[in-house]
Amino acid sequence: MADALLCPSYTFHDGFLAFLPGFLVPDNSFPYFLSAILLIAFCSFTTTYNHPALPYLRLLSAVPISFSLWEYGFSPQFDEPGRNRQADMAMAVVTAYGLLKVVEICLVGFWNKPKDWPQWIRRDNGKKDDEGKGPVVIPPGPSVGGRAFYGLDLLSICGSSWKGDRIWSFAPRSMFEWKMPTKSVFLRQRIIGLIQLYVIVDILESFSSEIKWDTRNPRPLTGTLPIHLQLFYTFVLGGRTIASMLVPYYFHSIWTVALGISPSAWPPVFQEPFAATGLQDFWSFRWHTSYRRAFHEISRGLLALLPMSYIKFHPRFIKFLRSFIAFGLSMVLHLLFMCALPNDEAHPYEGLFNTQIMKCFLFQPFGVLMEFAVIMPLTKNMPEPQKLFIRRLFGWSWMLWTGRYWVDVWIHRGLWGTKERWILFSPVRKVLYGTWTPC
């Protein structure tokens, strides 16, 4: 048959696993993951008590937690030749989240004051009480069960809570402004969103995955293609990156809310990133906030080493330094992500210090500085349409230009290979190439 509906080498099971590669994580890795999560939850539970020995107990617990997480995400014992490499990436990302939780729960108590520890805040008041004086704090329950729930809820990545009437004090501004929908509206929105993501990823893959990339080349994009194609594939990867975070997030939010969890546990991950008016707007308010609290706490600890007088009289430099620290920490995480992927003859790798990744992330704070020092003053007195156009042009040009270095590494590490396609049964590919699957 000239047009078979499905390629014989693929099944719908393959298609599901391609769309949600996290399900390819090997079963024998879960003991490490579960032991780490249980220990983190226990440490989080102990924060509801004030015994002077508990901070040191949490500090000691950080060692076995970090070991278990490292084994889960980076140990070669779980490498499987020929597996979808996005599964390896998923394990590394989960490890990063866990290690950052170790920082937040086990370490920051040594340089944070008690008043800076996270608190539940009443959602309907946001950060002010009924008289506009401050947040309405909800204390943890006095019972062991109430304290245990507080500890589990503190494992929240972005500041959301499993209970709909509250939110964590470290949540970003956008979460306080989010109007939580009813369960039925939430489920309808997320199901429609998941279908839309499938179509969007299908379109992006159909135009990008037909190239046979040379993964042995450390610069397969910037070293081989003309600049307009470099920028195009950078945009494509940006779209796929957003989708790669939203697809599992939407999938898990649908079934958990359907089982009775409040929609408050699943706020939006992004704040319309393609509507960003510039670099600072994009990174500060539009991009995901998964690492924000940990980065904030680490930068606070590092900046505490500076004299208070210097911090007081150089606020702009301190703001830039905080931004540089955040991007530097993000760079370290992404360097580790790429080291977690298996090496073989088709995917050689030079080691931890990849210059393309370092350029991509370390250029960002200088772009923000240039936007603040040059672009914003030059456009200050322009009419609104021209001002917005120039600021957006600079911001998106900077991100696309520097993003090319990340695409180099993404391709070099085999994350755009045939097995790493998300969409195995593609309506767009059927129209363009006459086949539903990449046969």
Side-chain angles (χ1 to χ4, degrees):
M1 294 176 64
D3 262 346
L5 175 63
L6 301 177
C7 176
S9 60
Y10 293 106
T11 66
F12 282 107
H13 180 258
D14 295 326
F16 177 80
L17 294 179
F19 199 54
L20 292 164
F23 285 98
L24 291 168
V25 172
D27 295 340
N28 59 341
S29 68
F30 282 107
Y32 291 97
F33 172 74
L34 291 176
S35 61
I37 292 299
L38 290 174
L39 274 174
I40 293 175
F42 170 75
C43 290
S44 184
F45 167 73
T46 65
T47 62
T48 62
Y49 295 92
N50 295 320
H51 195 283
L54 289 177
Y56 298 96
L57 175 63
R58 291 193 289 270
L59 182 63
L60 290 174
S61 299
V63 176
I65 294 172
S66 300
F67 171 78
S68 295
L69 287 170
W70 191 267
E71 285 295 301
Y72 172 77
F74 296 97
S75 174
Q77 66 176 306
F78 301 126
D79 291 348
E80 295 180 7
R83 181 177 62 197
N84 186 327
R85 297 171 74 84
Q86 292 190 68
D88 300 287
M89 175 65 81
M91 295 171 71
V93 170
V94 169
T95 295
Y97 286 141
L99 291 174
L100 292 178
K101 275 298 165 187
V102 171
V103 172
E104 295 174 18
I105 294 172
C106 301
L107 303 183
V108 298
F110 287 94
W111 62 78
N112 268 1
K113 297 178 181 178
K115 67 181 180 65
D116 296 321
W117 195 256
Q119 295 175 311
W120 273 326
I121 294 176
R122 209 171 80 191
R123 175 182 286 275
D124 57 355
N125 276 89
K127 292 194 172 184
K128 295 181 181 293
D129 64 10
D130 296 325
E131 299 179 357
K133 295 181 179 179
V136 177
V137 176
I138 303 175
S143 66
V144 173
R147 293 172 183 269
F149 178 76
Y150 176 93
L152 287 172
D153 206 39
L154 186 54
L155 299 183
S156 168
I157 294 174
C158 301
S160 59
S161 172
W162 292 105
K163 287 192 174 182
D165 64 339
R166 63 197 65 184
I167 199 168
W168 284 100
S169 55
F170 60 85
R173 182 185 68 186
S174 60
M175 204 171 295
F176 286 92
E177 298 171 349
W178 179 50
K179 304 299 181 183
M180 186 177 66
T182 62
K183 286 188 178 182
S184 59
V185 172
F186 178 89
L187 288 172
R188 183 173 67 250
Q189 290 175 343
R190 290 297 166 92
I191 291 171
I192 293 174
L194 197 59
I195 295 171
Q196 290 173 335
L197 284 170
Y198 191 96
V199 174
I200 291 170
V201 174
D202 189 11
I203 293 171
L204 294 176
E205 280 203 345
S206 296
F207 286 100
S208 65
S209 296
E210 301 307 318
I211 292 184
K212 303 300 181 184
W213 300 100
D214 181 9
T215 57
R216 293 169 296 183
N217 183 354
R219 296 175 56 208
L221 183 82
T222 59
T224 59
L225 297 182
I227 188 62
H228 68 283
L229 289 180
Q230 294 180 31
L231 298 177
F232 170 74
Y233 287 117
T234 303
F235 176 81
V236 168
L237 182 57
R240 285 191 58 176
T241 299
I242 293 174
S244 71
M245 298 184 69
L246 291 182
V247 166
Y249 190 79
Y250 280 15
F251 176 80
H252 293 301
S253 70
I254 289 169
W255 71 262
T256 53
V257 171
L259 290 178
I261 296 297
S262 171
S264 65
W266 302 98
V269 178
F270 300 97
Q271 305 299 319
E272 300 181 351
F274 293 107
T277 58
L279 279 174
Q280 184 174 358
D281 181 45
F282 181 88
W283 293 119
S284 298
F285 305 110
R286 306 286 184 172
W287 197 239
H288 72 89
T289 58
S290 304
Y291 308 135
R292 176 171 295 183
R293 184 188 168 213
F295 287 179
H296 173 75
E297 298 293 357
I298 294 172
S299 64
R300 176 188 291 191
L302 293 174
L303 292 175
L305 301 175
L306 296 175
M308 183 55 65
S309 58
Y310 190 88
I311 295 176
K312 182 178 179 180
F313 290 104
H314 298 82
R316 290 183 177 176
F317 176 73
I318 295 302
K319 187 176 181 180
F320 170 76
L321 194 57
R322 187 184 295 273
S323 173
F324 189 85
I325 292 172
F327 281 112
L329 292 170
S330 185
M331 176 196 73
V332 171
L333 287 183
H334 288 78
L335 286 168
L336 291 174
F337 292 161
M338 290 302 165
C339 285
L341 300 175
N343 292 328
D344 53 40
E345 185 178 351
H347 306 96
Y349 198 55
E350 56 270 29
L352 178 62
F353 297 102
N354 184 286
T355 56
Q356 299 297 86
I357 297 178
M358 296 171 72
K359 286 188 291 186
C360 174
F361 285 91
L362 294 183
F363 281 165
Q364 300 308 318
F366 292 101
V368 173
L369 179 64
M370 187 179 300
E371 180 182 71
F372 174 79
V374 179
I375 303 300
M376 295 184 73
L378 286 177
T379 59
K380 181 179 180 180
N381 296 321
M382 290 184 178
E384 194 62 32
Q386 289 90 328
K387 178 198 302 184
L388 188 60
F389 172 77
I390 292 176
R391 290 181 179 181
R392 279 181 169 167
L393 179 63
F394 171 78
W396 284 102
S397 298
W398 189 275
M399 283 190 287
L400 287 174
W401 185 264
T402 56
R404 300 173 309 136
Y405 305 125
W406 174 248
V407 182
D408 269 338
V409 186
W410 188 268
I411 298 171
H412 180 47
R413 298 301 283 141
L415 290 166
W416 257 356
T418 302
K419 287 183 177 292
E420 286 66 38
R421 297 174 190 266
W422 275 20
I423 308 297
L424 289 187
F425 305 113
S426 162
V428 175
R429 194 180 291 121
K430 175 66 175 176
V431 172
L432 292 178
Y433 307 111
T435 178
W436 290 87
T437 59
C439 299

